Structures are given as C-alpha cells and as structure tokens.
Amino acid sequence: MESVLAVVVLLCCCVVETQTESDFSAVPSEVDRLLRELTARVEKLESEGKPKVAFSTSLRVSEEHYHFGPFDEDTTVVYKKVTTNIGEAYNPETGVFTAPVGGAYYFTFTCNVGNSGVANAALLKNGVNMAAVYEYANPKSGIYHSGANGVTLVLVEGDKVNVVLWSGSSIFDNSRISMFSGYLLFPIDTK
C-alpha cells in the first residue's frame, strides 16, 4: 500500500510541476481530487484481492447427546457439522484445517467433558501443541463442564491445524457445544 501511495504522490507532484503560473490556483483542488480518487481505487483493489478464509464446525450433525472417546490413543477430533467453510480449507472428513495462504489466523475450540469425566484436548499446528483445554467433571451428576481456548498463529501455505483428544479422555456434544473455528485475520507474505 505504501509503494502505491508513493506513486500516487509522485503523479500528483508531476501534475503540479506541469501547471503554469497562470492557472496555479486550480492545482490544489485538482491534486486533492486526483489523490482522493486514486487512493479510493487503490484501497478498493486491495480489499477485493484479499483471500477469504473462515470456518466453524461442531462435532455432531444431529442433536442427540453424543460422547466421543475415551480412546486408548491420542485421536484427531473430526468435526462433522460444518456451519461455515469459506475457502473450503477445513476438511470435515479428516478434521484438519489446511492453510490456503500464509497469514495470521485465529483459532478457537471448546470441549465439554464426556463420559470419561475428563476432557483433555489440544490444538496442534503441524503436530505441535499450540493451545490446550483440560476440564474435569462428574457426568453422572447431570452437569457437564466445558473448557475453551483460542490462539493466533502465523501459518504458511499448507500448514495443518487440528484438535486432538488425548488418550483416556472424552468430549460430549449435541451439535453445538464442542466446536472448532478459525479464520484468516490478514495475509502475510511468508516466502
């Protein structure tokens, strides 16, 4: 944006320099108009070219109460109900988000304690723990506890983000309480 504005300023300076002394009084208003017009065009072009990436999912499609886990090994949580998937970067078959462009992204996930009594999950970037949730409750009491976390990550194109449920824990859902969401804040040239 700065380089484009520098070009606009340079063009305006050229306009001023080419004006004669006799019509110099018209220059400031003409330059201002030209500058405003060119700036508006640049901003419009830049806003149209930005990639659009956002998704929001929950574990289950149906509203039936569902317990996911516990498992004997760490398990990727595959969120099946896709509410939003702008840019198609989230894969509901694998539970993995793949960054289509480099940039700063914000992710959040929630976990309600399932029938194991413990929800222990993490958000991973390329297999590395970036944020975690740990919550303990007694589901037999009829009161379900939940935890949530969020994180901003810088991703390069192709980076993978997913939620994993650690072995021995479980989460509960009824189509809207154990969720995974993310969106591109702004692109960054990561090359």
Side-chain angles (χ1 to χ4, degrees), residues 2-60:
E2 290 83 14
S3 61
V4 174
L5 286 177
V7 171
V8 169
V9 169
L10 183 60
L11 287 171
C12 291
C13 290
C14 290
V15 168
V16 168
E17 196 172 308
T18 60
Q19 298 293 318
T20 63
E21 297 255 349
S22 62
D23 62 357
F24 192 82
S25 62
V27 172
S29 63
E30 181 64 21
V31 170
D32 287 344
R33 184 195 63 75
L34 181 61
L35 184 58
R36 280 193 307 276
E37 182 180 310
L38 290 173
T39 301
R41 285 182 181 179
V42 167
E43 288 173 353
K44 181 180 179 194
L45 287 171
E46 286 185 343
S47 70
E48 290 173 352
K50 290 182 183 175
K52 294 167 180 61
V53 182
F55 74 97
S56 189
T57 63
S58 59
L59 189 59
R60 291 288 286 179

Side-chain angles (χ1 to χ4, degrees), residues 109 121-124 128-133 149-151:
F109 68 109
L123 184 131
L124 306 181
V128 178
N129 189 341
M130 297 285 120
V133 167
N149 209 340
V151 63

Side-chain angles (χ1 to χ4, degrees), residues 77-159:
V77 181
V78 180
Y79 296 86
K80 293 289 189 183
K81 182 179 180 182
V82 177
T83 305
T84 304
N85 198 5
I86 299 166
E88 303 297 320
Y90 174 77
N91 184 333
E93 300 301 316
T94 64
V96 177
F97 170 86
T98 304
V101 296
Y105 291 81
Y106 182 74
F107 296 94
T108 185
F109 68 109
T110 61
C111 297
N112 273 36
V113 177
N115 56 11
S116 68
V118 175
N120 189 5
L123 184 131
L124 306 181
K125 172 187 169 185
N126 298 326
V128 178
N129 189 341
M130 297 285 120
V133 167
Y134 180 86
E135 188 66 42
Y136 179 83
N138 180 359
K140 292 179 183 175
S141 70
I143 299 172
Y144 289 91
H145 291 234
S146 65
N149 209 340
V151 63
T152 301
L153 299 174
V154 174
L155 303 179
V156 298
E157 183 178 336
D159 277 349

